Amino acid sequence: MKDILAEIVAKKKEIVNDARREMPLTEIKARLNEGKGQFGHFRMSHSFRQRDWNLIAECKLQSPAKGRLNKTHSVVEMAHIYEANGAAMLSVHTDPHFLGSNESFREVRQAVELPLLRKDFVIDEYQLYEARLLGADAVLLIARILSPAQLKEYLYTTWSLGMDALVEVHDEEDMEAALSTPAEYIGINNRNLVTFETDIQNTLELLPYVTGERRLISESGVFTREDAEILQQAGCKGILVGEGLVRANDIARQTRLMAKVGEKAEASA
């Protein structure tokens, strides 16, 4: 079976090496210290602690498994719609397999005020500093592609830059690695990282393993308000939704439905 994640990670190593040659880490650190990127202020935490439910809406154009998902909106247009309709935070891809880029991230940063999660496959600390220079408020740390020591080290580096981290898990082994860290936000990915198929049952099966004071976010495979309600009632504090929004006939209405879980649903259009 084709291992999409392995392909992405292999390509990511080349991308990071190219980025290092173009702008060494020492230069990124110097720019941050000069205030050009500025350190973050944990905007994700400040926002999420004020809400019982949080929608992280993803500006996503393409999936490696399903191809182009949306041809009618740019990532900036999606960001404006999400912000106007109740999203708590935006997830912006910078990986080319999703048609993401650093440039599109900068464009979204300039267009909206919401906290931004840089969605990428972090395999090197370089990407954490790069994320902050781009203006990210949070990064995704995927437990599956990091050693336990790397996961803990990158979490502390992320915090040192004033950013939050969403530590992503998919199975019990990933969860054990995440729980060995002091991570506040754990994202349970409903997507099989080998086949890229999704099922929210994965969140429901992993929730009982969670210990400590953690805020749980269910990621991927959330397509309806009913899906979101099931996850909220199970104990999740939010959802990260990409395809379930960008392929909706009415993205604005779907965003409102997902963002206001726990409130009375609006009448059908």
Side-chain angles (χ1 to χ4, degrees), residues 25-43:
L25 181 57
T26 52
E27 183 176 339
I28 291 181
K29 290 181 176 179
R31 290 191 177 204
L32 289 171
N33 287 327
E34 291 170 0
K36 292 181 179 178
Q38 297 188 358
F39 293 90
H41 300 283
F42 299 100
R43 295 182 67 222

Side-chain angles (χ1 to χ4, degrees), residues 45-65:
S45 290
H46 288 306
S47 174
F48 278 35
R49 288 170 186 165
Q50 297 175 18
R51 298 166 174 246
D52 293 328
W53 178 253
N54 297 277
L55 169 63
I56 305 176
E58 190 153 275
C59 304
K60 183 177 184 179
L61 296 176
Q62 176 173 286
S63 159

